[in-house]
Amino acid sequence: MLLLLLLLLVAAAQAVALAPRRFTPDWQSLDSRPLPSWFDEAKFGVFVHWGVFSVPAWGSEWFWWHWQGDRMPAYQRFMTENYPPGFSYADFAPQFTARFFHPDQWAELFQAAGAKYVVLTTKHHEGFTNWPSPVSWNWNSKDVGPHRDLVGELGAAVRKRNIRYGLYHSLLVWFHPLYLLDKKNGFKTQHFVRAKTMPELYDLVNSYKPDLIWSDGEWECPDTYWNSTSFLAWLYNDSPVKDEVIVNDRWGQNCSCHHGGYYNCQDKYKPQSLPDHKWEMCTSMDRASWGYRKDMTMSTIAKENEIIEELVQTVSLGGNYLLNIGPTKDGLIVPIFQERLLAVGKWLQINGEAIYASKPWRVQSEKNKTVVWYTTKNATVYATFLYWPENGIVNLKSPKTTSATKITMLGLEGDLSWTQDPLEGVLISLPQLPPTVLPVEFAWTLKLTKVN
Ligand SMILES: *[C@@H]1O[C@H](CO)[C@@H](O)[C@H](O)[C@H]1NC(C)=O
Ligand SMILES: *[C@@H]1O[C@H](CO)[C@@H](O)[C@H](O)[C@H]1NC(C)=O
Ligand SMILES: *[C@@H]1O[C@H](CO)[C@@H](O)[C@H](O)[C@H]1NC(C)=O
Ligand SMILES: *[C@@H]1O[C@H](CO)[C@@H](O)[C@H](O)[C@H]1NC(C)=O
């Protein structure tokens, strides 16, 4: 009898251990969920800002707000000079044709760039949905403009190539009448959340099964207004993506950098030392805008070196790098963006071993004659140095060599010779090769095995 009871107790304990953990709709519980591992391994993603703002394609994706929200004179002028009187923002939508949008071409480009995830704006602050949302009547890509399900089409194309699919979603919609009503009520009412935000978030998850939800537009209201914790508890407990989904931190005022999944903190956030929480740097190839701008010039486009340096630095500091491009209203990715993405891909082809699935090392960076950023994987240490030192010697202070240490450069055959100096650390002699023979033109990676 006692034995039977004991057996039952053991069985019950096992059942409890096996039962999936339930999360409660509060930050303490939600914040304790471990991040599914794919995200940290992915390291590099492409962000895509695409919407009705791609039609005026001037200023930035905040066009509507700057025109009719804070009424900036330059935007007023742009409209009077280029459009007939009475032209409304909604009148731009039919010109959002996506005529040359071939999702497979985009996905192929993103794959060639080495991206492991892609995040598309499903709905920016203008409220236009890039999918046939049931609660965005006549303000969605099926009814107006492309007459296509852009979210669904891109998702199918990237997933064919084993790229994870993330959905950007703005909680707020600048000029939605119900949002304005709630705002007038000091956000004590939730008409907008009930009628628009929540139905769309649930619809996105159920229809497209995203790997990532990139939330934004949270800053005017507390998370209690947005009902964020209820949604996240459902997402983690009962949604079709509960095991793999990742979210960021923009779920209400003051959540950013404190609550949610990984942290974005601010746009273009760049910590100076290793954060103790998984994070992502999102930035835009056009430094002045996330959406496509016809008035873009080379002076605001990130250089190839800057992009690689940001990627390397971000990964050394434990972050993911999400690099944005804005396609045109007809669905083209302009050649300068293609060129930069392909350059990243070419660099990753050689150096990806030091990036994908790597971890921060005990030291993140050093600076002597060149800047060095470290990562580690499987007991190997990778040191990426940004500039080729004039004397052809890279000097690393932190790695402690052993008699079995081997040092190579990714993309080159053969071992590099090195010496250990008691004061200066490891002195590594770089090969004397003509620039054309070097594996990459900027940011070379040394691979150090059997070092401490
Ligand atoms: C917020 O979540 C609570 C609890 O799940 C629910 O009862 C309420 O209806 C939700 N409100 C809105 C506006 O979605
Ligand atoms: C957010 O932080 C600010 C500044 O600390 C504070 O004034 C505000 O009340 C906070 N809002 C919420 C919703 O906690
Ligand atoms: C930098 O390297 C030079 C020689 O390569 C060495 O003399 C010097 O001590 C190093 N400085 C630091 C700060 O490590
Ligand atoms: C890790 O290192 C061990 C020993 O060097 C090797 O056998 C193994 O294949 C490596 N694993 C990975 C994932 O590289």
Side-chain angles (χ1 to χ4, degrees):
M1 194 61 192
L2 209 63
L3 191 69
L4 195 67
L5 199 69
L6 208 67
L7 282 174
L8 276 172
L9 273 174
V10 169
Q14 271 171 349
V16 167
L18 287 176
R21 188 172 154 210
R22 302 283 299 176
F23 296 90
T24 49
D26 55 82
W27 289 122
Q28 200 189 356
S29 172
L30 298 168
D31 289 346
S32 71
R33 176 180 180 257
L35 288 184
S37 60
W38 73 262
F39 184 71
D40 181 47
E41 289 160 14
K43 304 297 183 193
F44 176 51
V46 172
F47 208 175
V48 181
H49 271 66
W50 202 28
V52 172
F53 50 78
S54 314
V55 175
W58 190 85
S60 82
E61 71 291 342
W62 276 57
F63 184 93
W64 194 2
W65 183 258
H66 292 323
W67 173 27
Q68 294 187 319
D70 58 11
R71 300 184 169 275
M72 285 170 66
Y75 286 74
Q76 309 285 335
R77 236 177 4 254
F78 175 83
M79 286 310 294
T80 51
E81 283 172 7
N82 297 291
Y83 292 90
F87 194 92
S88 72
Y89 191 78
D91 293 331
F92 286 125
Q95 295 176 45
F96 180 31
T97 63
R99 186 175 297 131
F100 307 118
F101 170 51
H102 301 299
D104 282 304
Q105 285 177 2
W106 285 22
E108 212 172 287
L109 174 66
F110 301 153
Q111 184 177 40
K116 301 293 182 196
Y117 62 112
V118 168
V119 180
L120 171 70
T121 50
T122 63
K123 179 189 76 175
H124 203 257
H125 315 320
E126 63 188 15
F128 185 89
T129 63
N130 283 335
W131 85 100
S133 160
V135 293
S136 192
W137 183 79
N138 219 28
W139 195 232
N140 69 74
S141 66
K142 195 81 184 177
D143 292 345
V144 199
H147 298 288
R148 291 164 71 175
D149 175 3
L150 306 178
V151 175
E153 288 190 38
L154 184 61
V158 301
R159 286 191 156 136
K160 253 193 268 171
R161 290 164 178 82
N162 285 322
I163 298 173
R164 298 272 182 168
Y165 194 38
L167 304 181
Y168 167 105
H169 170 269
S170 171
L171 295 167
L172 69 75
V173 168
W174 287 317
F175 302 111
H176 195 288
L178 293 178
Y179 186 65
L180 297 178
L181 176 62
D182 287 344
K183 193 186 273 196
K184 208 179 83 201
N185 295 336
F187 296 114
K188 299 283 185 279
T189 55
Q190 288 176 293
H191 301 296
F192 174 70
V193 180
R194 188 165 289 114
K196 172 93 174 161
T197 316
M198 281 304 143
E200 287 188 337
L201 270 174
Y202 283 85
D203 185 36
L204 281 172
V205 172
N206 287 320
S207 303
Y208 304 106
K209 308 193 172 45
D211 298 298
L212 193 161
I213 299 178
W214 211 103
S215 184
D216 193 21
E218 82 296 1
W219 58 82
E220 291 188 339
C221 331
D223 62 78
T224 46
Y225 169 75
W226 293 119
N227 246 20
S228 302
T229 55
S230 301
F231 168 72
L232 290 172
W234 170 78
L235 188 71
Y236 294 172
N237 290 329
D238 301 309
S239 81
V241 291
K242 63 186 169 59
D243 298 323
E244 290 287 284
V245 75
I246 299 264
V247 305
N248 65 348
D249 55 352
R250 297 186 179 176
W251 297 100
Q253 247 167 21
N254 302 355
C255 283
S256 182
C257 240
H258 299 294
H259 298 298
Y262 69 84
Y263 296 166
N264 278 118
C265 301
Q266 313 108 37
D267 288 356
K268 309 187 183 180
Y269 175 61
K270 210 183 213 179
Q272 292 310 307
S273 58
L274 183 66
D276 60 7
H277 192 93
K278 182 66 196 178
W279 63 284
E280 175 191 62
M281 180 197 190
C282 64
T283 192
S284 187
M285 209 178 276
D286 174 3
R287 299 304 198 190
S289 178
W290 301 79
Y292 175 68
R293 300 180 301 142
K294 286 180 282 203
D295 52 335
M296 178 174 76
T297 64
M298 282 307 289
S299 65
T300 64
I301 310 266
K303 295 187 180 59
E304 180 181 330
N305 290 2
E306 293 169 354
I307 294 171
I308 305 272
E309 182 170 352
E310 278 178 357
L311 169 67
V312 168
Q313 169 169 357
T314 299
V315 172
S316 285
L317 291 170
N320 276 23
Y321 186 59
L322 183 64
L323 180 61
N324 176 75
I325 50 112
T328 67
K329 65 183 169 121
D330 19 41
L332 297 172
I333 296 171
V334 294
I336 189 66
F337 292 159
Q338 294 183 35
E339 192 268 347
R340 291 290 191 269
L341 287 175
L342 293 172
V344 179
K346 198 170 147 218
W347 188 87
L348 281 167
Q349 277 281 322
I350 302 287
N351 301 289
E353 183 183 331
I355 299 292
Y356 300 122
S358 69
K359 298 276 177 211
W361 192 46
R362 63 178 166 81
V363 175
Q364 284 75 57
S365 75
E366 274 177 32
K367 187 169 190 292
N368 188 315
K369 290 198 170 123
T370 179
V371 180
V372 178
W373 289 100
Y374 290 104
T375 59
T376 185
K377 187 161 66 182
N378 201 20
T380 299
V381 175
Y382 298 92
T384 301
F385 61 99
L386 300 184
Y387 305 96
W388 197 272
E390 262 176 47
N391 64 353
I393 306 226
V394 174
N395 146 293
L396 303 177
K397 282 263 185 225
S398 306
K400 303 279 175 275
T401 52
T402 65
S403 57
T405 295
K406 266 178 183 273
I407 303 179
T408 55
M409 181 184 287
L410 295 186
L412 277 190
E413 296 284 329
D415 293 356
L416 303 182
S417 61
W418 56 271
T419 57
Q420 175 82 45
D421 184 277
L423 288 176
E424 307 210 352
V426 203
L427 299 175
I428 302 158
S429 304
L430 298 176
Q432 296 194 339
L433 291 172
T436 49
V437 181
L438 286 174
V440 288
E441 288 161 30
F442 175 77
W444 302 265
T445 301
L446 298 170
K447 175 177 180 176
L448 295 83
T449 54
K450 307 269 167 48
V451 288
N452 297 312

